[in-house]
Amino acid sequence: MRGVAIVGIGCTKFGEHWNKGIKELAVEAGIKAIEDCKISGKDIQLIIGGNMSGGMFAGQEHISALLADQLGLNPTAAIRTEAACASSAVALRVGYLAIMSGLYDIVAVGGVEKMTDVYGSQAITTLAGAMDQETEAYFGLTFPGAYALIANRHMYEYGTTREQLAMVAVKNHKNAIHNPIAQYRKAITVSDVLESPLVADPLRILDCSPITDGAAIVILTSADIAKKYTDTPIYIKASAQASDTLSIYDRKDITTLSATVKAARDAYAQAKIKPKDIDVAEVHDCFTINEIIAYEDLGFCKKGEGGKLIQMGETEIGGRIPVNTSGGLKAKGHPVGATGVAQIIELVEQLRGEAGKRQVKNCEWGLAHNVGGSGATVVVHILSNNR
Amino acid sequence: MRGVAIVGIGCTKFGEHWNKGIKELAVEAGIKAIEDCKISGKDIQLIIGGNMSGGMFAGQEHISALLADQLGLNPTAAIRTEAACASSAVALRVGYLAIMSGLYDIVAVGGVEKMTDVYGSQAITTLAGAMDQETEAYFGLTFPGAYALIANRHMYEYGTTREQLAMVAVKNHKNAIHNPIAQYRKAITVSDVLESPLVADPLRILDCSPITDGAAIVILTSADIAKKYTDTPIYIKASAQASDTLSIYDRKDITTLSATVKAARDAYAQAKIKPKDIDVAEVHDCFTINEIIAYEDLGFCKKGEGGKLIQMGETEIGGRIPVNTSGGLKAKGHPVGATGVAQIIELVEQLRGEAGKRQVKNCEWGLAHNVGGSGATVVVHILSNNR
């Protein structure tokens, strides 16, 4: 079976871009990705773009055709994918399938979200589109609220502490200092988190990922031809996805994301490795509790021991399994439709050995974990610098 | 290379479903599709769902995970695709690629749109999300306006008449009488069209496809195993897509959709046939002018002669190349995210010989033409009952 490689990467700075819209962000990322490898725009045979809610954030749908147009790539076919905050991880999966089909050799995959052109509660209303409207959002549940319920239950079941949640944010801010694209490049302390304004008990504002503008694009080729376009191809060794209920009331256990467990199991089987083989991981820390749950669901520690894992420093750069070396969604920023591919870009930089002061030593295997909503969609990719 | 077959089809009635939301519509279509073939829900390995604007129409994104959830298919992976009114034709393309990859054997592909829960100008604003907001919609252009510009230019360049436009609506209404799922099952006359309220000169309300709720789902398998699940598999012989500018001001010629020309050329090459081989076609008659332009761009007649083709009766059932036997978007209805797959369902019924009073005799080749926006995305599929 043919393989798939990532040969080029491009990402905008994440943050508030008051002077750039969807088009400018996507074009900037696209040009960087093309310049990062020996490919020109006309070589690209298919474009897959993730975007969660261009309609509600900016009145703009038909996002991928817009990207093809703005990048000067017409008549190249363009498809938008959406799976809430996992929209661009599913774009990567579709790009992967397109190359695996044998019908395409070179595919551009990306994500974009323009979130800051909103007022009042528009951002929270839009993001609630990832929930089941009829059973959650209409009754006033928000995403911080949903993850607060999850956090409380995790604390009750496993003794996870408020301080352990804070340590996730502290670590991710520390990592972001060395990431030039990150939204918040400044250190914070556990007491900063504990003293920050309460959003939904127990989650405080420094437990929450921010509202962010940004775009991230990668260029895929079939593995056979990758070395024509770059000296450092990174291979997609697994692409797995699973679904769960949109509503958390409908789940047997809210301290785990069952779709993470399923997607991770499938991904490890595809890559023929075990969790202990992963050298670096980007996980979906939309709220601090979700990074702790991801540790457990991805098999980096036993169920209930995620809090201890962060406390022991095991997920720091230099620890046993460094997580969110980019700064994560918390500090790098979370332009929802771009996040999945941005995670991939961090792994590519790590696996190429180009991550500068964030570099994890002797990286061979990287894992990306992207979550839509409160876990109704989970996508896990495993990358390697070794074909 | 492996092939892809359609083994099951399911569609709701199209129209205003005041008592059904996105979930109920999708479940109804999904159950019908499963009951139409010897497949049970647990056999489905992947779900691809097209939806244009669940966010703006209903506050609901994360549409495909919602479908997986409501259909009881968790943890099966689910991906939403969007390309404006071509959202479910691109879903079909992604499902096709997934099976061609060899990684999936059985995939459910569908589309859903709930459009009637809107007030005031919300529908027209939402649909304008398919345009470039910054260069068209913000300045007051609407889709009827865009197609009116196109119609005026076509009439000016080629002498296409107001009556010829009306004949498209008359034919499609006539066909819809025999389609049990159609929104408008009643005959209209040329004078009905000419006397109907003006929307955007020269287009009148009976030139415009309606606002519609509906869902359409098909089950795909690899061609090798299709006969296990149905006695009448229909094969996807071509799947092609092309892009063009979102803004019509940016085009050299607005009397043609260049993306249709490109996608059609690619599709005919994949299927190794010529336009004259097509026995039945479903084309994107969002406005009457677009059916006439489609005749020309798909090669059913020479450029500029689309008006004559409808006038000569060549596209009637019984004519040389019957078009929109379902009633088309005009009379069957146009739930934008569901339309692409609904076109496919009509072709499957024709190619199976199950189209009742709409049946075209001796059908072997069917073509579906689905347009996003004013032609920024065009998808062409060619189906056959002959592997």
Side-chain angles (χ1 to χ4, degrees):
Chain A
M1 202 178 267
R2 74 193 333 223
V4 177
I6 300 164
V7 300
I9 57 176
C11 200
T12 65
K13 188 164 174 9
F14 280 8
E16 182 176 1
H17 289 279
W18 64 268
N19 58 343
K20 289 178 187 162
I22 291 172
K23 294 195 255 188
E24 291 79 9
L25 292 166
V27 167
E28 183 182 325
I31 289 173
K32 284 181 179 171
I34 287 169
E35 287 179 350
D36 185 54
C37 57
K38 296 173 204 139
I39 276 179
S40 74
K42 68 178 175 358
D43 299 325
I44 295 170
Q45 300 162 333
L46 181 66
I47 298 161
I48 314 287
N51 172 266
M52 175 179 163
S53 201
M56 292 181 82
F57 279 125
Q60 184 70 63
E61 310 282 4
H62 215 172
I63 300 285
S64 288
L66 186 70
L67 306 192
D69 185 5
Q70 293 298 310
L71 286 162
L73 297 183
N74 290 330
T76 307
I79 295 173
R80 171 188 169 201
T81 58
E82 186 264 326
C85 303
S87 292
S88 62
V90 298
L92 185 67
R93 292 203 78 225
V94 172
Y96 175 83
L97 292 174
I99 290 180
M100 292 298 276
S101 76
L103 299 171
Y104 294 94
D105 292 315
I106 303 178
V107 177
V109 167
V112 62
E113 207 82 51
K114 173 70 191 179
M115 300 175 73
T116 65
D117 282 352
V118 293
Y119 54 90
S121 60
Q122 195 187 339
I124 206 81
T125 305
T126 299
L127 291 168
M131 297 182 160
D132 188 331
Q133 287 294 304
E134 293 177 3
T135 60
E136 293 186 324
Y138 285 169
F139 298 97
L141 190 64
T142 62
F143 270 103
Y147 278 102
L149 292 167
I150 291 170
N152 277 316
R153 189 72 199 175
H154 201 276
M155 293 164 88
Y156 173 83
E157 293 267 357
Y158 300 112
T160 303
T161 66
R162 187 42 276 203
E163 288 70 20
Q164 288 167 341
L165 297 178
M167 288 170 196
V168 171
V170 170
K171 169 181 70 69
N172 292 350
H173 271 258
K174 186 175 156 195
N175 291 346
I177 291 170
H178 303 297
N179 187 351
I181 69 145
Q183 184 165 7
Y184 297 120
R185 300 180 65 185
K186 63 172 187 180
I188 58 171
T189 64
V190 167
S191 25
D192 288 339
V193 181
L194 300 185
E195 288 162 19
S196 67
L198 193 63
V199 175
D201 190 31
L203 300 178
R204 294 174 176 271
I205 201 158
L206 286 176
D207 290 290
C208 307
S209 57
I211 300 294
T212 310
D213 303 328
I217 296 185
V218 297
I219 312 286
L220 309 181
T221 71
S222 63
D224 291 336
I225 61 170
K227 291 226 168 161
K228 272 176 64 180
Y229 302 107
T230 180
D231 296 332
T232 53
I234 302 299
Y235 301 94
I236 300 178
K237 304 296 285 184
S239 176
Q241 181 187 348
S243 301
D244 194 2
T245 64
L246 266 75
S247 302
I248 58 173
Y249 84 83
D250 232 358
R251 299 182 189 167
K252 283 183 192 158
D253 178 359
I254 64 168
T255 68
T256 180
L257 300 191
S258 70
T260 300
V261 175
K262 168 80 167 83
R265 192 169 53 209
D266 291 351
Y268 292 130
Q270 286 174 34
K272 300 189 182 72
I273 61 168
K274 295 198 182 315
K276 70 176 175 45
D277 298 317
I278 298 296
D279 300 307
V280 58
E282 289 285 302
V283 312
H284 198 88
D285 60 322
C286 50
F287 299 92
T288 48
I289 181 62
N290 213 29
E291 178 164 325
I292 287 176
I293 290 176
Y295 295 161
E296 301 168 358
D297 290 342
L298 293 166
F300 297 160
C301 65
K302 289 188 190 155
K303 188 70 217 162
E305 296 187 358
K308 283 181 205 153
L309 198 74
I310 180 76
Q311 191 161 7
M312 303 283 284
E314 303 260 54
T315 56
E316 304 262 354
I317 295 171
R320 180 167 62 83
I321 166 67
V323 172
N324 285 333
T325 56
S326 68
L329 285 51
K330 173 66 202 81
K332 181 180 58 184
H334 185 26
V336 286
T339 282
V341 166
Q343 291 179 322
I344 296 295
I345 288 177
E346 174 69 11
L347 294 181
V348 168
E349 291 188 351
Q350 290 285 355
L351 293 166
R352 284 179 179 174
E354 294 177 355
K357 290 188 177 171
R358 310 186 315 281
Q359 185 65 49
V360 174
K361 287 182 188 153
N362 306 319
C363 274
E364 185 184 345
W365 293 99
L367 179 146
H369 165 255
N370 192 196
V371 175
S374 56
T377 297
V378 176
V379 184
V380 174
H381 282 98
I382 296 176
L383 310 184
S384 176
N385 46 22
N386 213 323
R387 185 172 174 188
Chain B
M1 198 177 270
R2 76 193 333 224
V4 177
I6 299 164
V7 300
I9 57 176
C11 200
T12 65
K13 187 158 174 17
F14 280 9
E16 182 176 0
H17 289 279
W18 65 268
N19 58 345
K20 290 178 188 163
I22 292 172
K23 293 194 258 188
E24 290 80 9
L25 292 167
V27 167
E28 183 182 323
I31 289 173
K32 285 182 179 172
I34 288 170
E35 287 180 347
D36 185 54
C37 56
K38 293 172 207 139
I39 275 178
S40 74
K42 68 178 176 356
D43 299 325
I44 295 169
Q45 299 162 332
L46 181 66
I47 298 161
I48 314 288
N51 172 266
M52 175 180 161
S53 201
M56 293 181 80
F57 279 125
Q60 183 70 61
E61 309 282 5
H62 215 173
I63 300 284
S64 287
L66 186 69
L67 305 194
D69 186 5
Q70 292 299 311
L71 286 163
L73 298 182
N74 289 329
T76 306
I79 295 174
R80 170 189 168 198
T81 58
E82 186 265 323
C85 304
S87 292
S88 61
V90 299
L92 185 67
R93 291 203 77 224
V94 172
Y96 175 83
L97 293 173
I99 290 179
M100 291 299 276
S101 77
L103 299 170
Y104 294 94
D105 292 314
I106 302 178
V107 177
V109 166
V112 62
E113 207 81 50
K114 174 70 191 180
M115 300 176 73
T116 64
D117 281 351
V118 293
Y119 54 91
S121 60
Q122 195 187 339
I124 207 81
T125 305
T126 299
L127 292 168
M131 296 183 161
D132 188 332
Q133 286 295 304
E134 294 178 2
T135 61
E136 293 187 325
Y138 286 170
F139 298 97
L141 190 64
T142 61
F143 270 104
Y147 278 101
L149 292 168
I150 291 170
N152 277 315
R153 190 71 199 174
H154 202 276
M155 293 163 87
Y156 174 82
E157 293 267 357
Y158 301 112
T160 304
T161 66
R162 188 41 274 203
E163 288 71 21
Q164 288 167 342
L165 297 178
M167 288 170 197
V168 171
V170 170
K171 167 181 70 69
N172 292 351
H173 271 258
K174 187 175 155 193
N175 291 344
I177 291 171
H178 303 297
N179 187 350
I181 69 146
Q183 185 165 6
Y184 297 121
R185 299 180 68 183
K186 62 173 188 180
I188 57 171
T189 65
V190 168
S191 28
D192 288 339
V193 181
L194 300 185
E195 288 162 20
S196 68
L198 192 63
V199 175
D201 189 30
L203 301 177
R204 294 175 176 271
I205 202 159
L206 287 176
D207 290 292
C208 307
S209 58
I211 301 295
T212 310
D213 303 329
I217 296 184
V218 296
I219 312 287
L220 308 182
T221 71
S222 63
D224 291 337
I225 60 170
K227 290 226 169 162
K228 271 176 64 180
Y229 302 107
T230 180
D231 295 332
T232 53
I234 302 300
Y235 301 94
I236 300 178
K237 304 297 287 183
S239 175
Q241 182 188 348
S243 300
D244 193 2
T245 64
L246 266 75
S247 301
I248 57 172
Y249 84 85
D250 233 357
R251 300 183 189 168
K252 283 182 191 157
D253 178 359
I254 63 168
T255 67
T256 180
L257 301 191
S258 70
T260 299
V261 175
K262 169 79 167 83
R265 193 168 54 212
D266 291 353
Y268 292 130
Q270 286 174 33
K272 302 190 181 73
I273 60 167
K274 295 197 183 315
K276 69 174 174 49
D277 297 318
I278 299 295
D279 299 307
V280 58
E282 289 285 301
V283 312
H284 198 89
D285 59 323
C286 50
F287 299 92
T288 48
I289 181 62
N290 214 29
E291 178 164 324
I292 287 177
I293 290 176
Y295 295 161
E296 301 168 359
D297 291 343
L298 292 167
F300 297 160
C301 63
K302 289 190 189 152
K303 189 71 215 160
E305 298 188 355
K308 282 180 207 156
L309 198 72
I310 180 76
Q311 191 161 8
M312 303 281 285
E314 303 261 54
T315 56
E316 303 262 354
I317 296 172
R320 180 166 62 82
I321 167 66
V323 172
N324 286 332
T325 55
S326 68
L329 284 53
K330 173 65 202 81
K332 181 181 54 182
H334 184 26
V336 288
T339 282
V341 167
Q343 292 180 321
I344 296 295
I345 288 176
E346 174 68 11
L347 294 182
V348 169
E349 291 187 352
Q350 290 284 354
L351 292 166
R352 284 179 178 176
E354 295 176 356
K357 291 189 177 172
R358 309 187 314 283
Q359 186 65 49
V360 173
K361 286 183 188 152
N362 305 318
C363 274
E364 183 183 347
W365 294 97
L367 179 146
H369 165 256
N370 193 196
V371 175
S374 56
T377 298
V378 176
V379 184
V380 174
H381 282 98
I382 296 177
L383 310 185
S384 175
N385 47 20
N386 213 321
R387 186 172 173 188

